[in-house]
């Protein structure tokens, strides 16, 4: 790596304490000139999106997550007022919770149970871990972020005896998301078993008039905060979805919003070389051959950013993983994202990254400040932070020396502003890259298809249960049951469903056979 190439392709933005280094992506001298017309088209599409154009044509929706940190940009004054009112309400509720004006049956709230999934959990989890800590958190956060019964039980075990001091927030735009609905019902049952009224410990974040909104009104919940149809779940961290848990935890949401706004201001530039989101999008375009040919490995060298790759998985993969482009052409686009943290990753999979299959590019995140206060020397003249930087720089060099390319983002320290900047940077990069490859980044037909398929499986399960109940005591194998139901093509599914029902003693028993697929099932 030459000094000249580094200085030419290292963009430092002083006012943000932020830098991006693209010098280790091996694009040629003509790449930027060749891409400039496409980039200008992408800028125009982004300008139209921010002005209120229907940027999600499949659903006929505007896409307005950029307005969340600058409400004045919203295309209608009533939207500006709604955004500002929502932030003010979040702050008021948080202040009342912290002061004890809003409290639970057993006194002031000490915990917050966040019930959501996907964008309603990944962003809040990332931010909570990045900015929180036992010495600074005013409220401790817990999550129901799946419909795994054992996972729910583990969280409830951690809250055992504390539900009367635990505020719950249920997050679902429609109110019909199965995992979130299940979490709400499980939480309600737990509060009831403890002799508590769930509604008097609950707040809803949902679309106005949704199923969840109706439940919250009918059961007299503490309050309601809005989710708007122009904010997607994966871009909702700076809406009530993310701001409410952060505010309750005690984080400074104004600083997060200010950081995102500042990055938005910079990434609106139509001068490609000075726009970090444009540079990021172009590097993705080059590194993946504009078709997702390589994965993105996210390597933050800071424990506080460990969950960032998990957050980015949804933001990037749900936005860019599409079968069709905007013209209806089959393209099978997407960029796979994975990662953990440095230097832990060096003991996990850097061996393969350097010498194994070359199917990735890396995104390093460097944090300059080690800790608050002084550090001891773990060796003469060397601190733990020196080692961390050494591992980062050494790994980056070792990868590049073997033809493995990378981008490096540098921030001074993990602050609310920096977290807001990172969120805004990747949101903008996703939008620009989507324009470059001509896809809709703001819908998720694959997710919807998965939900429909799951519903079909659940319907099949009920058919199987009813069939065995109608023949109580009669022992049948999966093949016979499928034939009786005229569902021969679903024999494997039926076999899988029966095994789990029997394992959970759901009124179905099994007489094990060898081989196992010949086992007999019957209603007890």
């Amino acid at each position: 790596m030459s000094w000249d190439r580094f200085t030419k392709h290292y963009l430092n933005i002083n006012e943000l304490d932020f830098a991006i280094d693209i010098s280790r992506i091996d694009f040629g001298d003509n790449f930027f000139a060749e891409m400039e017309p496409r980039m200008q088209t992408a800028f125009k599409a982004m300008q139209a999106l921010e002005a209120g154009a229907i940027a999600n044509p499949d659903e006929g929706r505007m896409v307005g997550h950029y307005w969340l940190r600058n409400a004045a940009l919203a295309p209608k004054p009533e939207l500006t007022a709604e955004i500002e009112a929502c932030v003010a309400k979040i702050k008021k509720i948080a202040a009342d919770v912290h002061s004890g004006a809003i409290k639970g049956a057993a006194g002031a709230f000490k915990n917050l149970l966040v019930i959501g999934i996907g964008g309603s959990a990944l962003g809040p989890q990332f931010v909570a871990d990045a900015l929180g800590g036992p010495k600074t958190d005013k409220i401790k956060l817990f999550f129901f972020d799946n419909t795994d019964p054992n996972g729910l039980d583990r969280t409830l075990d951690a809250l055992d005896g504390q539900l009367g001091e635990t505020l719950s927030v249920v997050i679902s735009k429609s109110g019909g998301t199965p995992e979130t609905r299940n979490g709400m019902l499980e939480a309600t049952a737990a509060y009831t078993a403890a002799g508590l009224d769930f509604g008097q410990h609950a707040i809803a974040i949902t679309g106005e008039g949704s199923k969840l909104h109706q439940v919250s009104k009918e059961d007299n919940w503490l309050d309601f905060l809005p989710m708007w149809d122009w904010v997607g779940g994966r871009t909702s961290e700076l809406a009530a979805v993310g701001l409410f848990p952060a505010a309750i935890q005690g984080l400074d949401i104004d600083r997060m919003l200010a950081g995102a706004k500042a990055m938005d201001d910079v990434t609106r530039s139509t001068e490609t070389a000075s726009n970090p989101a444009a540079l990021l999008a172009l590097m993705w375009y080059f590194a993946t051959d504009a078709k997702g040919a390589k994965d993105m490995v996210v390597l933050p060298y800071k424990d506080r950013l460990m969950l960032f790759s998990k957050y980015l998985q949804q933001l990037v993969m749900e936005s860019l993983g599409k079968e069709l482009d905007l013209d209806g052409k089959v393209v099978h686009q997407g960029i796979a994202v994975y990662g953990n943290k440095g230097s832990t990753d060096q003991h996990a999979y850097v061996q393969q990254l350097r010498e194994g299959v070359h199917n990735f590019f890396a995104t390093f995140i460097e944090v300059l400040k080690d800790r608050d206060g002084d550090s001891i020397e773990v060796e003469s003249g060397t601190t733990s932070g020196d080692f961390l930087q050494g591992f980062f720089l050494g790994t980056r060099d070792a990868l590049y020396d073997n033809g493995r390319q990378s981008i490096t983002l540098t921030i001074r320290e993990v602050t609310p502003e920096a977290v807001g900047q990172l969120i805004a940077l990747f949101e903008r990069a996703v939008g620009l890259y989507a324009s470059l490859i001509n896809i809709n980044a703001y819908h998720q037909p694959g997710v919807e298809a998965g939900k429909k398929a799951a519903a079909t499986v659940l319907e099949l399960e009920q058919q199987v249960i009813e069939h065995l109940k109608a023949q109580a005591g009669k022992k049948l194998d999966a093949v016979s049951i499928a034939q009786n139901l005229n569902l021969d093509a679903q024999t494997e599914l039926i076999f899988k469903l029966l095994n789990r029902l029997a394992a959970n003693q759901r009124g179905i028993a099994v007489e094990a056979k060898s081989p196992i697929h010949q086992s007999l099932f019957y209603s007890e």
Side-chain angles (χ1 to χ4, degrees), residues 129-369:
D129 192 53
L131 298 175
K135 291 185 176 180
T136 57
D137 290 350
K138 294 182 179 180
I139 301 285
K140 189 174 182 180
L141 266 58
F142 296 83
F143 290 87
F144 274 6
D145 63 349
N146 200 358
T147 189
D148 174 11
N150 184 250
L152 301 173
D153 288 345
R154 291 179 67 191
T155 301
L156 290 173
D157 286 346
L159 288 167
D160 188 35
Q162 302 176 54
L163 289 179
E165 302 166 297
T166 300
L167 176 65
S168 288
V169 57
V170 184
I171 308 172
S172 172
K173 185 182 291 186
S174 67
T177 306
E179 297 93 335
T180 304
R181 180 206 60 208
N182 295 352
M184 178 187 72
L185 295 175
E186 293 267 5
T188 301
Y191 277 82
T192 301
L196 302 169
D197 181 347
F198 178 68
Q200 294 308 297
H201 299 76
I203 287 175
I205 300 179
T206 187
E208 188 164 1
S210 72
K211 294 177 184 176
L212 177 56
H213 189 204
Q214 294 301 317
V215 168
S216 71
K217 291 194 295 184
E218 290 167 6
D219 294 347
N220 198 30
W221 288 19
L222 290 171
D223 220 321
F224 150 81
L225 290 163
M227 291 180 78
W228 300 289
D229 66 1
W230 41 265
V231 179
R234 57 192 175 276
T235 55
S236 64
E237 174 53 30
L238 297 177
V241 168
L243 294 180
F244 180 76
I248 294 295
Q249 185 179 357
L251 307 181
D252 192 330
I253 62 173
D254 283 334
R255 292 175 62 189
M256 280 177 56
L257 290 167
K261 180 181 180 300
M263 181 60 77
D264 283 345
D265 291 343
V266 168
T267 57
R268 283 193 189 97
S269 171
T270 57
E271 183 181 334
T272 302
S274 65
N275 183 328
L279 296 179
L280 206 53
L282 285 170
M283 294 308 97
W284 295 353
Y285 190 95
F286 180 84
T288 72
D289 296 330
K291 56 185 179 183
K294 286 187 168 63
D295 304 338
M296 176 163 60
V297 183
V298 180
L299 300 168
Y301 276 70
K302 204 67 175 176
D303 285 5
R304 285 186 176 274
L305 298 179
M306 180 177 68
L307 296 182
F308 191 47
S309 60
K310 192 175 177 182
Y311 165 76
L312 287 180
Q313 279 180 340
Q314 183 182 22
L315 175 64
V316 174
M317 295 175 72
E318 191 168 279
S319 297
L320 302 180
K322 302 296 162 64
E323 180 179 12
L324 304 176
D325 67 11
L326 287 169
D327 299 322
K329 179 183 176 183
V330 175
V331 291
H332 294 298
Q333 277 286 358
I335 300 175
V337 179
Y338 66 93
N340 181 23
K341 64 180 181 181
S343 63
T344 300
D345 287 331
Q346 291 172 228
H347 298 271
Y349 48 72
V350 165
Q351 169 64 32
Q352 175 167 314
L353 296 187
R354 188 178 191 277
E355 298 184 2
V357 59
H358 188 187
N359 62 346
F360 76 96
F361 68 100
T363 299
F364 291 98
I365 304 178
E366 175 188 28
V367 181
L368 298 179
K369 186 173 179 180

Side-chain angles (χ1 to χ4, degrees), residues 307-447:
L307 296 182
F308 191 47
S309 60
K310 192 175 177 182
Y311 165 76
L312 287 180
Q313 279 180 340
Q314 183 182 22
L315 175 64
V316 174
M317 295 175 72
E318 191 168 279
S319 297
L320 302 180
K322 302 296 162 64
E323 180 179 12
L324 304 176
D325 67 11
L326 287 169
D327 299 322
K329 179 183 176 183
V330 175
V331 291
H332 294 298
Q333 277 286 358
I335 300 175
V337 179
Y338 66 93
N340 181 23
K341 64 180 181 181
S343 63
T344 300
D345 287 331
Q346 291 172 228
H347 298 271
Y349 48 72
V350 165
Q351 169 64 32
Q352 175 167 314
L353 296 187
R354 188 178 191 277
E355 298 184 2
V357 59
H358 188 187
N359 62 346
F360 76 96
F361 68 100
T363 299
F364 291 98
I365 304 178
E366 175 188 28
V367 181
L368 298 179
K369 186 173 179 180
D370 292 341
R371 58 155 48 113
D372 292 329
D374 297 330
S375 293
I376 65 166
E377 294 183 358
V378 294
E379 290 184 5
S380 179
T382 306
T383 68
S384 296
D386 295 333
F387 269 98
L388 188 65
Q389 186 184 42
F391 286 130
F392 151 56
L393 294 174
T395 299
R396 191 176 65 151
D397 278 351
L399 292 178
Y400 191 66
D401 289 347
N402 214 32
R404 272 59 171 165
Q405 300 174 48
S406 65
I407 302 160
T408 298
L409 308 178
T410 301
I411 60 175
R412 185 175 183 276
E413 61 182 307
V414 182
T415 62
E417 291 87 352
V419 167
Q421 289 169 16
L422 287 172
I423 290 169
L425 172 68
F426 278 87
E427 285 179 349
R428 182 85 63 172
V430 162
L432 293 173
Y433 180 76
S435 293
L436 292 177
I437 60 173
N438 192 39
I439 62 162
N440 179 0
Y442 307 108
H443 68 164
Q444 50 282 331
V447 175

